[in-house]
Amino acid sequence: MMYGIKVVLGYWFGTDIADRNLAVRPDDTFIVSYPRSGNTWTRFLIANLLFPNTPVTFANIERLIPDTSSQSNRVLKRTPRPRFIKSHQYFDPRYPRVLYVVRDPRDLVLSYYNFQRKYRQIADDYPLANYVDDFVEGRLISADWGTWGENVASWIFTRQNRNSFLLLRYEDMKSDTEHELRRIATFLGLQVGPDRLQQAIAASSPERMRELEQAQSDQWVATQKHRKDIPFVGPAQSGRWHTELPQASVSKIESAWGSLMSTLEYPLATSNMNHTQMYNTPIQRQPLRTS
Amino acid sequence: MIRKLIYGTKCLLGREAPGRNLSVLDDDVFIASYPKSGNTWTRFLVANLIYPQEPVTFLNIEKIIPDPDLQSRNFLKHCPRPRVMKIHHPFDPRYKRVVCIVRDPRDVAVSQYHFQIKRAVLQPGHPIEDFVKRFVAGGTSPYGSWGQNVGSWLIARYNGPGFVLLRYEDLIENAVEGLAQIARLLNLEPDRHRLEKAVEFSSADRMRALEKLQADQWASTKETRIDLPFVRGAKAGEWKSTLSPDAVAQIEQEWGSLMRALGYKIETAGGEAKPSVLDLMEFPSP
C-alpha cells in the first residue's frame, strides 16, 4: 500500500524519477555511459557547444541536459525538444540516437572508489582490492546499471556500425579533445568552426569545472547532499591505474573483460589470462570506431 | 486524465502490471526470448516439469509462469518462490538466472507475420516482404529488433553463471535434453521419466487441442481471430518455402554474424558482410 501511494503521488505530481520509465521521443539524443566515464565532462562540452550564449554551470546543466536518473518525468517532459538527455542505462531499444562514452575500466574503478567514498556508500578505509572485486562481480550499487562489461557490451553490440550511434573513448577525448568534439558536432549535425569548438573546450576544462564545483556544489543535485572534502570532478587523467591499482586488481578486471577491453583498444597488462567469465578469446580486433 | 486516474487507482491497489518496474528477487528465474521463438512451449515444458501433478493449460499457465507485463504487482509479490517468469525484454542486469530461447530469425519473421494477421494488426495477404523490411528494422515489436534483443543477452551473459542458452531448433530435436538443462538451472533433479512426461504433456498436438478449447479465455488469444491458430507448425525451416530470396537476404545481411554464431546456416552472400563483437566469442559448434 505504501508503495502504491508513493507511486501514485509520484505519478500524479510528476515527481517520480524518470529512469527506465522515461517517455522517449523520436528526436531525443542520449549521452550514455557507465558512471565515472566522463559523462559530466561530455555533457558540459555538448551543452557549451549547443548553447554558446549560455555559460554552462552545475546550476543549469540539469536544465540544459537533464539526467534520467535524477530528474523527474515532469522535468523531462518540459525540456524543450529536441532533447539532449544524460543516462547511465544499459541497452534500451527505445533510445533513438546515442553517444556512448567508454573509459578504461581500470581507471574508472579508481574514480568510482573515490566517488562512493564521497557518497558515503563505502567506508573511508574500505580496501581498494576488495572494492575492485565487488565492482567486477556486480555487488555495488552501480550493478543496477549492469556491470561495466554488461553495460558497455550491451550498447556496442546492438548499435555499432549504425549512423545513430557514436562511440567515444574518454582517453581519445582527453588526448585530442578538438578532434573528438568535431566528431560529436558532425554526429549532432552542427556546423561549427574551430573557434566555437575551442570556446566549448575552454568552458568545459577541468580547471573551470573545479572552480564551478567549489562555488556551486550546493546547487547541483549530484553533489548537494554529499561530503565536500572529496571533489566530484576528479583528477581528469587517464592511466592512473598504472601506479595506483594493485596488480591483483588489474588481473581481476582483465580476466573478466579482457577481450572487450582489447576490442576497445585498451592494451592488457596481464598476459596468460585465464578467462573465467564472458567474452572468451580468441581476440580479434574489429574496427569499432568509425571516424 | 482519465487514464491517469485509472492507472493511479490500480497502483494504489497493487493491480498494475509492473513490467520493467518489477521488484526482482535473488532467486527469480526468467524465461527470456524474442516474441514467437517458442516461449509459450517452453513455459509449458517448465510448468509441466515443476508441477507434474497438475496438467498445465492455457487457463493456468499465466498463474504458474506469469508475465510481469501482464500480471499484477500484488499477484507477483505472492507467487511461491523461486518464481519462474516469462519475459520478452532485452538484456536486464537485474535478472540473474535466465533461460534464453533463440530461434532462427527467418522462422521468427514468418511466425510473427502470421501472428500479426491473427491479431488483425495486418490484413490477410499483406505482402510479407514489407513485413520483413520492418521486422529487420525492429519496427514490428516493442522489444527491440531480433538481433538487438537476442544479441544484448548473449553479449552480456553468454558463458556466465545462471545463463542457459537453448535453440528452439534443438528443443524440437531433443526436448528432453533441453529441459534437463533448464532443470539444472532450477536446481531440480528430475529423473528421465518425469522429463519425458513433461515433454509429452507439452506436445504440439496437446497444445493445439487445449487451444481449441481455451482460446477464448487466454490473454494472448482471446481478442484475436479464432479461425487462425496460435500454435502453428511448431517446426523449423518454414521460411525456406515462405520467404522470398530477397527477404532472406535482408535478414541475413542485418544479422549474419549473430546467426552464424548461433549456428544458423547463411544462404545468401550478403550475410557474410558485417563484422561484430560476437566474432570475439567462442560458441560451441552446434
Side-chain angles (χ1 to χ4, degrees), chain B residues 195-212:
Chain B
L195 289 168
E196 282 169 353
K197 266 272 172 291
V199 172
E200 194 188 314
F201 278 134
S202 314
S203 72
D205 289 339
R206 185 166 179 279
M207 285 178 70
R208 282 192 199 101
L210 286 170
E211 188 192 342
K212 278 221 166 67

Side-chain angles (χ1 to χ4, degrees), chain A residues 1-219:
Chain A
M1 192 71 183
M2 279 313 291
Y3 176 86
I5 292 171
K6 225 174 97 187
V7 170
V8 169
L9 290 178
Y11 185 72
W12 192 262
F13 294 107
T15 52
D16 51 331
I17 298 298
D19 256 340
R20 276 192 102 86
N21 294 327
L22 170 73
V24 177
R25 311 268 179 237
D27 53 353
D28 286 342
T29 302
F30 289 85
I31 303 165
V32 187
S33 74
Y34 205 64
R36 308 310 289 170
S37 300
N39 199 315
T40 305
W41 181 38
T42 313
R43 266 166 111 185
F44 266 69
L45 284 168
I46 293 178
N48 276 314
L49 202 58
L50 290 170
F51 312 103
N53 303 320
T54 314
V56 178
T57 69
F58 287 107
N60 64 13
I61 188 70
E62 293 296 336
R63 188 164 53 77
L64 300 173
I65 302 187
D67 174 5
T68 53
S69 321
S70 67
Q71 299 302 315
S72 66
N73 271 314
R74 173 162 297 180
V75 168
L76 279 151
K77 212 167 146 185
R78 289 179 180 170
T79 302
R81 289 169 67 177
R83 302 183 296 182
F84 295 84
I85 301 170
K86 171 239 166 158
S87 165
H88 291 314
Q89 289 291 345
Y90 47 93
F91 171 61
D92 189 324
R94 302 170 308 149
Y95 288 14
R97 205 157 62 141
V98 172
L99 295 108
Y100 193 88
V101 185
V102 70
R103 185 180 187 185
D104 190 323
R106 295 165 295 196
D107 278 334
L108 187 151
V109 75
L110 289 170
S111 174
Y112 217 142
Y113 177 69
N114 269 336
F115 179 79
Q116 291 212 284
R117 283 169 59 232
K118 175 178 175 66
Y119 268 47
R120 296 198 196 280
Q121 290 165 338
I122 53 169
D124 249 5
D125 55 356
Y126 192 70
L128 179 61
N130 296 14
Y131 183 82
V132 173
D133 290 353
D134 294 340
F135 176 74
V136 171
E137 282 160 28
R139 287 194 292 265
L140 303 175
I141 285 183
S142 56
D144 287 357
W145 290 296
T147 63
W148 178 83
E150 289 175 339
N151 193 301
V152 173
S154 75
W155 279 110
I156 295 179
F157 172 71
T158 51
R159 291 292 173 83
Q160 66 166 331
N161 300 331
R162 274 165 214 273
N163 297 335
S164 57
F165 184 76
L166 183 69
L167 181 63
L168 298 158
R169 298 197 323 163
Y170 175 79
E171 293 74 13
D172 297 337
M173 291 175 64
K174 286 299 302 179
S175 64
D176 192 346
T177 315
E178 186 177 338
H179 179 260
E180 295 301 296
L181 192 56
R182 189 175 299 115
R183 284 178 68 212
I184 294 174
T186 309
F187 179 75
L188 298 177
L190 299 173
Q191 307 284 339
V192 286
D195 288 355
R196 201 161 137 198
L197 288 176
Q198 280 307 332
Q199 190 196 327
I201 293 167
S204 315
S205 71
E207 296 74 26
R208 187 174 132 78
M209 284 179 69
R210 281 189 200 108
E211 269 170 36
L212 288 171
E213 187 190 344
Q214 287 271 324
Q216 303 172 329
S217 65
D218 286 327
Q219 296 169 59

Side-chain angles (χ1 to χ4, degrees), chain A residues 1 3-4 7-8 11 20-21 90-91 93 146 150 153 157-160 162 263 278-282 284 286, chain B residues 4 7-8 11-12 20-21 73 91-93 144 147-148 151 155-159 254 275-278 280 282:
Chain A
M1 192 71 183
Y3 176 86
V7 170
V8 169
Y11 185 72
R20 276 192 102 86
N21 294 327
Y90 47 93
F91 171 61
E150 289 175 339
F157 172 71
T158 51
R159 291 292 173 83
Q160 66 166 331
R162 274 165 214 273
T263 313
M278 310 167 275
Y279 319 115
N280 268 354
T281 44
Q284 202 183 321
Q286 298 294 345
Chain B
K4 267 195 174 187
Y7 183 73
C11 282
L12 270 181
R20 287 218 141 186
N21 294 326
R73 181 159 50 81
F91 169 65
D92 190 317
Q148 294 183 348
I155 199 74
R157 287 292 170 79
Y158 185 72
N159 264 358
E254 186 69 19
S276 116
V277 183
L278 276 183
L280 301 171
E282 244 174 24

Side-chain angles (χ1 to χ4, degrees), chain B residues 3 14 17 22 29 34 47 60 67 73 99 115-116 138 144 155 158 161 167 169 172 174 195 211 245 254 277 283 286:
Chain B
R3 270 177 52 205
L22 173 76
V29 176
Y34 198 65
N60 60 16
D67 177 347
R73 181 159 50 81
V99 178
F115 190 51
Q116 296 214 345
I155 199 74
Y158 185 72
R167 300 196 317 167
E169 292 76 12
I172 290 189
N174 189 346
L195 289 168
E211 188 192 342
E254 186 69 19
V277 183
F283 287 88

Side-chain angles (χ1 to χ4, degrees), chain B residues 222-257:
Chain B
K222 64 181 173 193
E223 276 157 21
T224 66
R225 291 179 51 178
I226 298 294
D227 56 323
L228 300 171
F230 177 85
V231 181
R232 289 176 54 260
K235 55 180 189 285
E238 196 185 350
W239 62 272
K240 286 178 192 162
S241 55
T242 317
L243 292 183
S244 66
D246 179 54
V248 173
Q250 276 188 53
I251 294 176
E252 296 185 350
Q253 196 159 11
E254 186 69 19
W255 299 316
S257 60

